[in-house]
């Protein structure tokens, strides 16, 4: 990777899954995995095109259990564009002699390019160049172009341009036993001279997806009038076009595709809309022009740049960070807003089938990046949760709680989508999955709402939607907490923390842990914020919301009481116990297992296959207690602990970090992000090392095969956010924006642009100063602080703070 | 009408259509017309339930022309709930002796009640009380309750609770030749013990609508376990329940209904969602409690109250105004926002089939009311236009223009939905309809975007959506304007103004008028605003938008030039000509026609039936030139005219008003609103009279039959807005809020609450002072002015201005 591109110089079938995922193209509305064209459909991997927020449910029987899975919708494949020479067999990259191969993902323009030069069995040498895009500002359009040159031959060729709805979700090996054929064909038809259209409907959710393709062939820039045949089958349609080829006279095949679903705004019927889209669309070059411009505008908002200190120029860090931003903006974008899509941000993007496109807590790591660049996207995506507030209320009621209990995995209608059984590929066993006991997901949602408000000051969102979510989540925490006379404190029993390697006590009958420290602190924090929100809102609105939710004084008293008397377990010398009784677990033989297994990131599978369980040991998949130091400043934590009547010395922090960091397997890519963050100020070297590992999670597929199942968006956004917030030390406090930079040793200068309360602020951070420039603006003044100094910013202005 | 209710004390089949419409219940998601229950389905009128923004297209051949109409979707009827005694015939209100009858729409609670006492052929006397609601905060739910008491008999009864999808759109007589059966049945099934579910799909647009109904019967508050039979047919399902009745022991039948469409957020499949909704819903009383609370909160935001001067207490003005607000909030509401519905505001609400639910320019009269009370609704509804910006661009291109040309009538996908032929019921002829030449609709959209921004200061909306609409509309005006060397000015040819009685010059070959003054001034105003917007936006955003739309300096120069050299025609002594050559038309014989026809509101139909045409005369259906004095202050107009180099003395205004008011037929209900407004300060008595006529447009159905086809929402909202803005004189100017009241003679005090830039402001306006109270608030300070005085308001505060 150099500059702004991801480049592969050889064709390697065994790495195709990884490349496809990293070369995904998308626009927040739909995503298409990158590498495969029709020629490599078969035997390597089927290309996946996923629609944002589209789901379908299917039932499968496994070991006598009925599993009901809600899967993301694998749309028809719009890519197939193939050719054959003189009625030979269709091009297959594995059946020819490859003379050259080059694939490049141009991040700046959002363009995927592939150049192939090959010789076939008859000695014919041919060059083919592909370009492909999924349009960023015309979200229903995608396009590809194939330019073919016969180097040493002339003759007849046939091109085949197809839309294929006979696809299945088979991108994740361990899900393959589950039903995954989601599409029923509705219609395959020709449209005019050069168009074809395919309409399908998901089997259970009845979501209609229509695709239309317009295929044109050019020589010397002139469109050729050619014979076309259309093959229409159930769920498949193709157009075959014959062309005479002259040696060295390139022909260009252009396929422009329109995609619509029945949920889109401004649509009469999806097929009609798709047909109209390809009638009105420009050619590939036109599309590329507006598409690249949109990316250019996005990079102005989302980009960042570095200067390294002398001799440190070699690191490709900024390139990887741009790849991460690129993938985030393909998953959730301006189109998510403008098309008011009903979607959350899935942990694996819309890039693969892992977690089936469900929404988990990973948004916690993703929203900060959006909040500081384009908070309007966060607002739209938070609506996904608001729309499912009633489902969360029903879930709380069904479990005997009050308020809103959000599901660990959320899909179309907000019910719990976590699997009840999962497959351990190592043992081949289907084992019970208790991950749904991770009640802390609701706290993450409240945290996300509050952080969005802090940066945007969007009182309107708070008044209509945000406050109701925070209050109902607070109420849930109040109702799941019970008062324990022995401790004289409130406790929360039978839950799981973020560390998924602990789902219960060894040998206990039922799953769940008591007083998970992370959960309990988050519960207190949510209750604090709920009380605060009622004060922030205009008094009339606050009164209406309280009346609507029936929140009386007595309930508020209980909330206040919990914020003073929640139990947090400790052990040893100021170590926050991950949960009650953690200290009674055995220490784990890290060295022994590392020796025996090498990669021990997935200790859960290793131990289960051995008939053992991680529940017995002091080990964790990922940060759990340490999440607290990631989410909160030391000041905030001290306040929470002091209110609870627990001692909290600042030395507690490094002590806890040290304790847990030694007991972590990093089975989640989020883990390194958190650990790197919490070490940033106390152990810059170690932090930088972890940061670099986190950074390459996907690029080098450090989990050995999980990236092809979908990128890890939490780690992607989290690493960018580490530059953005951790190294700049940017926080909001007391109606001001504060900067407290802590650049890694390697960096000389960091430049980025953030958005704060309507302002665009350009930040330049060096070792010895910070420069903040505000663009012309009519917003109300804001205050920006650094160290002891605080300055009012009004309209166009530049401030400089010297650094000590 | 007294208090907050609409009451009818007698059953009158001939007025049923009007009552149904005025008693519509809705929540911005769907609306149900009021009066009919199953017993009166037949022969009087079929009840209509319309889904907001749902459309379906059908083709019909008329006189050899194929007409393609896009109709609003008439959902399945959820109301049918009937009964019979001892296997007799089903209750039919026309077949019994009515002893008492009372129907009441309770505006405060959004509840429709009906009490019937009757004696049947066997001498059995029975009392039945109905209550019904469409829930305002649980938008997918509706409920009804029937309480039945046998006064002098005991015996067996059977209740029938049904969902009926065999409905057609037949509410407008003159559309009945057009295809109007939109629903195809998908599924009719029983759900558990007490539920039924019906799923249908619109024929062309494939919109799925599912309804589930849960029917329970109670005696003394206890649910009865009863025998139930289910009848399921294609597009229809009913449950029949037998009950033993004891004399004077009331039974209560409760029907709770869940409604979902395939476009709703947070839905897996509409039928599943509807089934879940009725399983989780509370009983009728629970629903009523939360529903009434929501209405109470809405009234806090939207209400207004008066005190009359001595001896003027009798006028039911405030009641009618509340009815208007009630209907507006049923058409577009908090649910429109929270469910991010893709809808505009149709001129007839979702209350009837006139204009087929299409969106016209009436929003111009409706948004101001929303802007000053709950601007978030306007924002959502403006998105309807943003979503169709591409369609408007395509329409402009197709007509050889640039920019965005919005359709006169807009439906699902933003294409032009105006009919090409319409029926004159008076002559029975289908005649060409040129109303689509009303290009001024695009100016209204730009006006709406700008006004929303003025009140809300929502720069984010402007940056992402609003600016693009205004700029593209400006570009359209620039491209439709041509430079005329003779006049040395720009001209706009071949359009129609708001006055639909003039669609061309008498005896001209093709329709359209030149230099419609209203259109030309609006075009200039839009171009001015477009130039302003580019300055208001942050400089980066402005640059990106200009690059995206490819707006160069040359284009901006042309825009500036047009704002200085657009032609506005005048005639006589400072009279703005409605269009070029207006003064050459004949004067109309108003007296003669009034004598001959009585009601001459629809002169177009009268003249066409006589073989004549309004095109020949100086008459208008509604305000056209006068719209300018309605939309703009004298200061604004003077500025526009001065920039154009036309004289503009203030005396021009009364002179023009006087000229045109004498030539207006008021064939549109909007007309009186405008005339009353423009007269408010110069002729209070006449203004008040017109205001009162406008106020009673629907309540008394002054157009003689159009209200049953749907309320007139522009007039409804316009009359409320006249109190809100015209009589308070509230305007935004130079970043301040100004008040300049002008109460009608009859009023002593006016109280209302407005929202301005995040503030809630309570206004009290009396003859001798204004009081402005701001609630506790954390927003940035605002400035409020009156006369020469301007005051800064910050947080909780009260200001008083004395009035001279």
């Amino acid at each position: 990777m150099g500059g702004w591109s991801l480049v592969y110089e050889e064709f390697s079938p065994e790495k195709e899954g990884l490349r496809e995922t990293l070369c995904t193209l998308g626009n927040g509305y739909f995503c298409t995995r990158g590498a495969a064209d029709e020629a490599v459909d078969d035997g390597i991997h089927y290309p996946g095109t996923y629609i944002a927020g589209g789901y379908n449910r299917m039932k499968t029987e496994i070991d006598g259990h009925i599993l009901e899975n809600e899967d993301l919708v694998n749309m028809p494949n719009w890519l197939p564009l193939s050719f054959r020479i003189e009625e030979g067999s269709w091009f297959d990259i594995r059946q020819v002699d490859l003379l050259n191969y080059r694939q490049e993902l141009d991040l700046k323009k959002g363009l995927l390019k592939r150049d192939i030069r090959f010789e076939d069995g008859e000695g014919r040498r041919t060059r083919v160049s592909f370009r492909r895009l999924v349009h960023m500002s015309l979200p229903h359009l995608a396009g590809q172009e194939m330019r073919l040159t016969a180097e040493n031959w002339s003759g007849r060729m046939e091109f085949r341009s197809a839309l294929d709805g006979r696809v299945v979700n088979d991108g994740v090996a361990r899900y393959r036993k589950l039903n995954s054929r989601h599409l029923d064909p509705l219609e395959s038809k020709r449209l005019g001279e050069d168009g074809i259209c395919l309409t399908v409907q998901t089997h259970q959710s009845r979501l209609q997806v229509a695709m239309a393709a317009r295929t044109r062939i050019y020589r010397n820039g002139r469109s050729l009038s050619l014979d076309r045949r259309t093959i229409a089958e159930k769920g498949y349609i193709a157009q075959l076009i014959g062309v005479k080829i002259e040696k060295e006279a390139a022909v260009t095949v252009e396929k422009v595709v329109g995609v619509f679903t029945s949920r889109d705004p401004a649509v009469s019927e999806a097929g009609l809309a798709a047909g109209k889209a390809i009638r009105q669309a420009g050619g590939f070059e036109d599309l590329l022009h507006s598409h690249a411009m949109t990316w250019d505008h996005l990079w102005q908002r989302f980009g960042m740049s570095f200067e390294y200190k002398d001799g440190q120029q070699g690191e490709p860090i900024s390139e990887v960070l741009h790849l991460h931003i690129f993938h985030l903006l393909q998953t959730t974008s301006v189109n998510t807003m403008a098309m008011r899509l009903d979607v959350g941000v899935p942990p694996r993007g819309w890039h693969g089938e892992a977690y089936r496109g469900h929404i988990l807590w990973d948004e916690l790591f993703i929203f900060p990046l959006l909040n500081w660049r384009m908070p309007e996207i966060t607002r739209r995506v938070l609506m996904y949760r608001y729309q499912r507030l009633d489902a969360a209320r029903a879930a709380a009621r069904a479990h005997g709680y009050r308020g809103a209990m959000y599901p660990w995995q959320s899909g179309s209608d907000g019910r719990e989508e976590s699997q009840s059984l999962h497959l351990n590929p190592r043992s081949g066993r289907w084992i019970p999955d208790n991950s749904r006991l991770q009640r802390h997901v609701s706290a993450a949602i409240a945290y996300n709402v509050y952080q969005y408000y802090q940066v945007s000051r969007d009182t309107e969102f708070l008044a209509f939607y945000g406050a109701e979510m925070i209050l109902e989540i607070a109420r849930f925490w109040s109702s799941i907490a019970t008062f324990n006379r022995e401790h004289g404190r409130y406790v929360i029993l039978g839950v799981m923390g973020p560390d998924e390697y602990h789902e219960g006590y060894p040998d206990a009958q039922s799953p769940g842990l008591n007083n998970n420290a992370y959960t309990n602190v988050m519960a207190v924090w949510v209750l604090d914020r709920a009380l605060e929100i009622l004060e922030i809102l205009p008094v009339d609105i606050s009164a209406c919301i309280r009346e609507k939710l029936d929140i009386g004084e007595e309930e508020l008293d209980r909330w206040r009481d919990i914020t003073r008397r929640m139990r947090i377990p400790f052990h040893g010398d100021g170590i926050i116990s991950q949960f009650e009784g953690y200290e009674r677990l055995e220490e784990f033989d890290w060295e022994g297992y590392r020796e025996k297994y090498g990669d021990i990131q997935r200790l859960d599978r290793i131990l289960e296959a051995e008939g053992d369980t991680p529940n017995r040991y002091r080990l964790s998949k990922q940060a759990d207690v340490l999440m607290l130091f990631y989410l909160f400043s030391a000041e905030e934590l001290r306040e929470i602990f002091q209110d609870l009547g627990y001692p909290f010395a600042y030395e507690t922090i490094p002590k806890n970090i040290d304790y847990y960091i030694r007991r972590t397997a990093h089975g989640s890519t989020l883990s390194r992000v958190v650990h790197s963050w919490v070490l940033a100020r106390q152990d810059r070297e170690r932090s930088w090392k972890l940061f670099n590992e986190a950074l390459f999670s996907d690029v080098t597929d450090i989990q050995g095969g999980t990236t092809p199942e979908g990128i890890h968006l939490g780690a992607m956004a989290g690493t960018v956010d580490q530059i953005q917030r951790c190294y700049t030390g940017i926080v909001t406090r007391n109606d001001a924006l504060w900067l407290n930079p802590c650049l890694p040793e390697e960096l000389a200068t960091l430049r980025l642009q953030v958005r704060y309360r309507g302002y665009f602020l350009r930040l330049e951070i060096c070792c010895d100063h910070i420069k903040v420039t505000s663009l012309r603006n009519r917003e109300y003044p804001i205050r920006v602080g650094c160290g002891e100094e605080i300055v009012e910013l009004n309209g166009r202005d530049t401030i400089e703070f010297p650094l000590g």
Side-chain angles (χ1 to χ4, degrees), chain A residues 12 107 198 348 432 465 531 643 736:
Chain A
S12 55
L107 297 173
L198 176 73
R348 316 299 281 269
Y465 315 112
L531 293 162
D643 286 351

Side-chain angles (χ1 to χ4, degrees), chain A residues 145-180:
Chain A
E145 186 201 72
M146 169 164 73
R147 187 181 162 86
L148 185 142
T149 313
E151 290 193 356
N152 62 350
W153 58 275
S154 297
R156 255 197 84 73
M157 287 196 62
E158 195 169 37
F159 292 98
R160 182 174 64 191
S161 174
L163 299 170
D164 190 350
R166 301 166 308 188
V167 293
V168 291
N169 285 19
D170 70 348
V172 177
R174 65 190 174 284
Y175 298 165
R176 282 189 193 142
K177 263 204 170 175
L178 305 171
N179 262 325
S180 54

Side-chain angles (χ1 to χ4, degrees), chain A residues 243-268:
Chain A
V243 186
K244 268 209 198 119
I245 299 288
E246 302 292 332
K247 196 170 86 171
E248 283 297 343
V251 294
T252 301
V253 186
E254 171 193 280
K255 182 177 182 183
V256 171
V257 174
V259 183
F260 284 80
T261 83
S262 52
R263 290 198 175 163
D264 290 338
V267 160
S268 164

Side-chain angles (χ1 to χ4, degrees), chain A residues 41 99 118 213 290 331 396 416 437 536 626 631 682 715 804:
Chain A
D41 284 355
L99 306 174
F118 67 91
S290 50
T331 303
E416 180 60 77
L437 291 177
I536 287 177
L626 298 191
L631 295 180
Q682 71 175 73

Side-chain angles (χ1 to χ4, degrees), chain A residues 50-65:
Chain A
Y50 305 103
I51 194 94
Y55 296 101
N56 190 54
R57 285 178 191 169
M58 303 292 266
K59 286 179 181 164
T60 311
E61 196 188 314
I62 288 187
D63 301 344
H65 297 270

